[in-house]
């Protein structure tokens, strides 16, 4: 099979790898769509010294057809359409039984440390194969593995009700999926995004208002859009210091925020949180069973996830795909197989 490797200094190359063989309880899936995620870019941007000797295939948004089964697999058959959950776990510990495979002591994520989805085939556990109904494309299946799943799980934590305003910082793929889900859940969405193309995409996907943070103070703008009250909820996907602070300072009294964009500065002061009694939450992918709730919302509210996709590439164009996605000027970028 073919698989992508990152050589360092923003170079991606397609190489030949042996086809994976499923062991007991394992499944091999033939990829039909695979997403590029912002977290892949951290490794794409590493230098050649950091990448030296690392030939793990990146990518953790797999969707495709079940190709072959190991022994003891009962939940899928060859030819089934599946979305593949992003972390493999032991399956038996407290965290796995709670659905949080990413917290398992034996957790293994695609791309780090095991071969991921930027390849023709992927080896996974039977339990990671989640059903993808025929109404949804493989592109949907790919996005539901990380991008949309991360946004959905965050919106479940914010739980906007009664048309509450949700300010979403960053309108990259996770922010855009947040916009779609928040709208489907009945919220009013204010998107904060410096790039005009992404603001336009956010509008086309249903964002009620968009703000360019370089054109003025977004916190002030959000207060103006909420008659001075502030937003009930915020969702921080940008990973910038201004986004982190903005997502806190834009909130109304008793507001709540979810953070998924990593920012290492100690940017927040307790005084920003105490007086207004804010609730701040972190979020990280989604528990595996939440896939079914996401699926229900997408099907019943016809959430047009695939409208986020702006670019599609065959795997052999990996270098072009990552370079374009790295420019930050795209919506969702995916690999597709005929
Ligand atoms: Zn991801
Ligand atoms: Zn476990």
């Amino acid at each position: 099979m073919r698989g992508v490797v990152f050589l360092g200094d923003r170079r991606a190359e397609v190489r030949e790898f042996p086809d994976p063989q499923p062991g007991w309880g394992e499944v091999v899936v033939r990829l039909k769509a695979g997403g590029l995620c912002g977290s892949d870019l951290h490794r794409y941007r590493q230098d050649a010294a950091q990448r030296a000797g690392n030939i793990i295939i990146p990518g953790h948004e797999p969707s495709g057809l079940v190709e072959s089964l190991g022994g003891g697999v009962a939940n899928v058959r060859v030819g089934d359409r599946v979305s593949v959950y992003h972390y493999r776990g032991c399956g038996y510990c407290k965290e796995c039984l709670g659905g949080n495979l990413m917290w398992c002591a034996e957790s293994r994520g695609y791309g780090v440390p095991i071969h991921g989805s930027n390849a023709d085939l992927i080896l996974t556990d039977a339990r990671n194969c989640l059903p993808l109904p025929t109404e949804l494309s493989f592109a949907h299946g790919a996005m539901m593995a990380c991008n949309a799943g991360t946004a959905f799980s965050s919106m479940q934590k914010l739980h906007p009700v009664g048309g509450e305003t949700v300010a979403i910082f960053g309108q990259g793929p996770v922010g855009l999926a947040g916009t779609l889900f928040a709208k489907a859940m009945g919220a009013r969405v204010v998107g904060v995004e410096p790039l005009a193309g992404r603001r336009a995409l956010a509008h086309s996907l249903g964002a009620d208002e968009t703000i360019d943070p370089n054109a003025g103070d977004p916190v002030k703008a959000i207060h103006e859009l909420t008659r001075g009250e502030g937003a009930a909820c915020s969702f921080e996907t940008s990973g910038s210091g201004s986004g982190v602070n903005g997502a806190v300072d834009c909130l109304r009294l008793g507001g709540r925020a979810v953070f998924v964009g990593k920012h290492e500065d100690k940017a927040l002061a307790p005084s920003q949180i105490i007086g207004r009694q804010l609730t701040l939450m972190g979020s990280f992918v989604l528990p595996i069973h939440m896939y079914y709730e996401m699926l229900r919302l997408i099907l019943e509210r016809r959430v047009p996830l695939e409208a986020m996709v702006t670019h599609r590439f065959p795997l052999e164009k990996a270098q072009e795909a990552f370079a374009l996605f790295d420019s930050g000027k795209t919506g969702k970028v995916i690999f597709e197989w005929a």
Side-chain angles (χ1 to χ4, degrees), residues 2 4 30-36 61-64 81 117-120 132 136-143 305-307 309-318 321-322 332-338:
R2 299 167 306 160
V4 174
R30 181 166 291 279
L31 271 286
K32 295 295 284 179
L36 280 66
E61 297 188 344
S63 181
R81 306 170 91 247
S117 57
N118 296 339
D120 294 318
L132 181 69
L136 296 182
S137 66
F138 290 107
H140 277 92
M143 286 187 275
L305 262 192
E306 198 167 345
V309 178
T310 55
H311 298 82
R312 298 162 192 262
F313 289 95
L315 191 68
E316 59 268 25
K317 296 267 178 69
F322 276 101
K332 186 68 181 178
V333 180
I334 61 170
F335 289 119
E336 271 187 334
W337 285 255

Side-chain angles (χ1 to χ4, degrees), residues 13-279:
E13 187 177 275
V14 178
R15 290 192 183 168
E16 276 299 319
F17 287 83
D19 286 359
Q21 303 300 326
W24 185 265
E26 291 181 331
V27 171
V28 170
V29 173
R30 181 166 291 279
L31 271 286
K32 295 295 284 179
L36 280 66
C37 172
S39 63
D40 297 324
L41 292 177
H42 301 308
R43 288 174 284 282
Y44 171 70
R45 293 169 185 159
Q46 286 177 323
D47 63 30
Q50 287 171 302
R51 296 302 305 170
N54 187 331
I55 49 157
I56 297 296
I57 299 168
H60 52 264
E61 297 188 344
S63 181
L65 297 169
V66 172
E67 172 87 358
S68 57
L69 309 175
V73 175
N75 62 322
V76 286
R77 293 180 192 176
V78 170
D80 279 1
R81 306 170 91 247
V82 293
S83 172
V84 178
Y85 185 75
H86 170 166
Y87 283 86
R88 294 178 69 178
C90 76
Y92 301 104
C93 74
K94 173 170 163 279
E95 302 306 342
C96 283
L97 291 173
N100 293 300
L101 279 66
M102 66 290 197
W103 285 346
C104 174
E106 293 177 23
S107 171
R108 289 156 292 154
Y110 288 113
V112 185
I114 55 173
H115 282 322
S117 57
N118 296 339
D120 294 318
L121 299 166
I122 191 165
L123 178 67
T124 191
D125 290 313
R127 74 176 68 86
N128 286 57
C129 292
L130 299 165
L132 181 69
T134 50
E135 299 99 295
L136 296 182
S137 66
F138 290 107
H140 277 92
M143 286 187 275
M144 287 158 76
C146 169
N147 166 4
T150 296
F152 182 78
S153 157
S154 300
M155 282 307 144
Q156 291 291 95
K157 291 185 170 96
L158 288 173
H159 198 65
V161 293
E164 285 181 328
T165 296
V166 182
I168 303 184
F169 287 75
Q171 289 291 316
V174 176
L176 288 169
T179 293
L180 286 168
F181 288 133
K183 288 304 295 178
M185 292 163 84
R188 174 196 189 210
V189 171
V190 179
V192 181
E193 167 61 51
L195 294 169
R198 284 184 165 177
R199 286 199 303 278
L201 189 52
H203 261 301
S204 74
L205 296 178
D208 298 275
E209 311 280 349
T210 57
I211 294 169
D212 176 0
N214 294 330
D217 179 3
V219 170
K220 188 162 170 274
I222 290 164
H223 277 87
E224 283 165 5
L225 288 167
T226 52
R227 296 157 294 102
E229 273 193 4
C233 306
S234 64
F235 180 34
E236 206 309 293
T237 72
S238 75
S240 68
S242 58
V244 168
N245 277 281
V248 171
D249 294 337
C250 76
L251 291 176
R252 75 178 186 202
L253 302 174
R256 50 209 191 272
V258 165
F259 298 83
V260 298
K262 283 188 183 164
H263 186 71
E264 304 304 336
D265 282 3
K266 291 182 176 53
L268 284 179
S271 59
Q272 288 169 272
I273 303 159
I274 295 169
R276 286 180 294 143
Q277 301 197 60
L278 304 181
T279 302

Side-chain angles (χ1 to χ4, degrees), residues 284-321:
F284 181 49
V285 292
L286 77 168
I288 191 166
H289 49 76
M290 198 179 274
Y291 176 87
Y292 292 93
E293 291 168 58
M294 171 168 58
L295 190 60
R296 180 174 52 77
L297 186 75
I298 291 171
L299 290 171
E300 293 182 2
R301 301 303 305 269
R302 296 191 173 83
V303 178
L305 262 192
E306 198 167 345
M308 288 168 43
V309 178
T310 55
H311 298 82
R312 298 162 192 262
F313 289 95
L315 191 68
E316 59 268 25
K317 296 267 178 69
Q319 175 64 60
E320 205 179 312

